[in-house]
Amino acid sequence: MNKKPTLRKRIGLELFRRLKKNRVILHEMHTLFWECTLRCNLSCRHCGSDCKVSAEHSDMPLGDFLHVIDELTPYVNPNKVLVIFSGGEALLRPDIEQCGRELCRRGYPWGMVSNGMTFAERLEGLLASGMRAATISLDGFEKAHNWLRCHPQSFKKAVRSVQGLIQTTDIKWDVVTCANQQNFDDLPEFKRFLIEMGVKNWRIFTIFPAGRAALIPELQLDDAQFTQLMEFIHDCRLEGIIHTSYGCEGFLGNYEMEVRDHFFQCNAGVHVASVLADGSISACPSIRSNFHQGNIYNDRLIDVWNHKFQPFRDRSWARKGQCAVCNMFRYCEGSGMHLYNDRDELMFCHYKRLR
């Protein structure tokens, strides 16, 4: 597929561009991440936050986060704000179920992202506490997954977690795979493995060079492989057996709407907010600290949401460097906010990687 958008695709992009401007004006919060811990029971090679078993910041007290929720509640429809627990590994906290029950009592749906190490053992309690969404990381077959996660039992535990979710009803869940040099060639066979297991929804990400990932070349696909990955996802979607999509990051030219269910938009600071482990207020948790907008111990989340986040909602500042003369900027607006380093420089461009 030629990467340059066709006339028909450009018409769609122009219409979506108008819709996106209105969404920015309204900036309705749809997702709130709580980075509830920086502790982790794995030491993954690609970790963007460089989490450790014993984190630098202690876990935020549950009461502090619930205070944020209670301050937010008068200004949003709780039923329309999904709270997602992230980390670290959220299940290292013993009070996740308690927090889930408190969120349910306040009307908020909630979910989590997990590496699957202890998810299966706690699944019954999580469901009883009202969990409505879950994502389990499964990065290829055993050798590739364990290599990435640096743990000999991580694959078996993640598979067990997926098998548990397959037995559930009334919960939205998917499997996420980080494509890299270790698993790239096996993706077609791995797709068949997921289908046979009963997985219905599969998201594939590429790894951006931040945290530990910046030091390991094997984690990155070359440009030809990246283009092949888009073709693979496109073919999976045409096949229609397992709903496959590329992650939310990056403008993809003519692959827009071919590898995802929507046109690219960085929702950080537009529909997505986060409360980080130290109380910082940001958008997606993986965004660098130079874009933090406040702190819950000094600011009300709703005030920050309504009156700050300008760098997220007006992306004109990003038209510099490699974006300065790009004719795709009107659609891309400088790509995902998490792809900027501490100097506000774009680390790489998805569109330019396409061949």
Side-chain angles (χ1 to χ4, degrees):
M1 184 184 295
N2 192 315
K3 75 173 184 178
K4 293 183 179 179
T6 61
L7 176 60
R8 183 179 180 182
K9 191 64 62 73
R10 280 183 178 270
I11 292 171
L13 286 165
E14 289 293 339
L15 291 173
F16 183 74
R17 185 168 174 260
R18 296 180 186 180
L19 176 63
K20 186 163 56 173
K21 287 182 177 181
N22 189 56
R23 288 178 174 177
V24 169
I25 292 170
L26 296 175
H27 55 265
E28 296 175 339
M29 188 186 299
H30 295 164
T31 305
L32 175 62
F33 283 94
W34 180 29
E35 187 183 56
C36 61
T37 184
L38 286 178
R39 294 178 296 132
C40 193
N41 46 11
L42 293 178
S43 183
C44 302
R45 297 180 194 273
H46 66 308
C47 184
S49 56
D50 198 21
C51 298
K52 299 177 176 62
V53 173
S54 180
E56 178 182 349
H57 292 284
S58 58
D59 294 352
M60 180 184 293
L62 174 56
D64 293 1
F65 179 67
L66 292 177
H67 178 70
V68 172
I69 292 295
D70 289 337
E71 285 187 333
L72 178 67
T73 299
Y75 303 95
V76 299
N77 180 345
N79 299 143
K80 295 184 178 181
V81 180
L82 175 65
V83 179
I84 301 178
F85 303 144
S86 70
E89 171 57 33
L91 289 176
L92 287 187
R93 290 188 66 122
D95 57 358
I96 287 296
E97 291 86 350
Q98 180 186 354
C99 184
R101 289 192 295 271
E102 291 295 328
L103 289 172
C104 283
R105 189 167 64 83
R106 292 162 169 82
Y108 289 87
W110 65 273
M112 66 166 44
V113 180
S114 177
N115 59 31
M117 290 295 287
T118 62
F119 184 88
E121 291 85 345
R122 291 175 66 175
L123 179 56
E124 184 177 355
L126 294 169
L127 293 172
S129 301
M131 183 176 67
R132 306 304 304 157
T135 292
I136 300 295
S137 297
L138 192 56
D139 300 298
F141 291 113
E142 188 165 13
K143 181 180 178 181
H145 180 90
N146 289 349
W147 173 83
L148 189 63
R149 301 289 166 174
C150 298
H151 193 290
Q153 297 298 315
S154 58
F155 176 80
K156 292 179 180 178
K157 289 180 178 293
V159 167
R160 187 180 170 206
S161 296
V162 172
Q163 290 171 334
L165 283 168
I166 289 169
Q167 306 303 316
T168 64
T169 57
D170 300 327
I171 177 173
K172 184 176 180 179
W173 64 274
D174 64 0
V175 166
V176 164
T177 299
C178 292
N180 60 79
Q181 295 292 342
Q182 291 283 323
N183 64 17
F184 180 76
D185 291 337
D186 292 332
L187 288 176
E189 187 179 352
F190 186 63
K191 178 194 72 174
R192 291 189 287 272
F193 170 77
L194 294 177
I195 292 171
E196 290 172 2
M197 192 161 49
V199 175
K200 302 297 184 183
N201 296 288
W202 185 28
R203 273 186 297 159
I204 303 177
F205 281 79
T206 46
I207 298 169
F208 58 96
R212 297 174 193 155
L215 306 175
I216 307 174
E218 280 183 275
L219 295 175
Q220 310 300 322
L221 301 182
D222 62 36
D223 292 350
Q225 289 172 319
F226 181 72
T227 306
Q228 290 175 42
L229 179 63
M230 296 303 108
E231 290 290 337
F232 171 72
I233 295 172
H234 176 254
D235 291 346
C236 288
R237 292 170 69 87
L238 288 178
E239 189 180 47
I241 299 175
I242 180 171
H243 184 71
T244 310
S245 59
Y246 183 61
C248 58
E249 64 177 35
F251 175 74
L252 299 170
N254 208 32
Y255 286 97
E256 289 295 321
M257 291 296 292
E258 307 295 334
V259 297
R260 286 186 289 234
D261 297 340
H262 51 81
F263 284 112
F264 170 72
Q265 176 183 4
C266 181
N267 287 316
V270 179
H271 296 309
V272 179
S274 66
V275 174
L276 304 183
D278 64 353
S280 294
I281 297 170
S282 187
C284 298
S286 54
I287 293 171
R288 307 278 81 77
S289 61
N290 43 313
F291 289 107
H292 291 177
Q293 299 296 296
N295 192 290
I296 64 164
Y297 294 110
N298 302 314
D299 312 287
R300 291 202 317 163
L301 173 61
I302 190 62
D303 292 337
V304 173
W305 181 254
N306 284 335
H307 302 296
K308 293 191 177 182
F309 283 97
Q310 286 85 359
F312 297 81
R313 297 167 187 169
D314 179 1
R315 298 293 295 277
S316 58
W317 61 268
R319 189 151 203 167
K320 59 183 180 179
Q322 60 183 304
C323 298
V325 295
C326 180
N327 60 4
M328 292 294 118
F329 185 84
R330 67 188 287 107
Y331 310 126
C332 174
E333 296 188 327
S335 198
M337 290 291 290
H338 69 291
L339 295 175
Y340 284 82
N341 62 22
D342 293 334
R343 299 180 298 280
D344 297 357
E345 299 168 338
L346 184 64
M347 289 184 280
F348 65 84
C349 169
H350 289 68
Y351 182 69
K352 288 185 176 179
R353 297 188 68 191
L354 293 168
R355 290 291 174 257

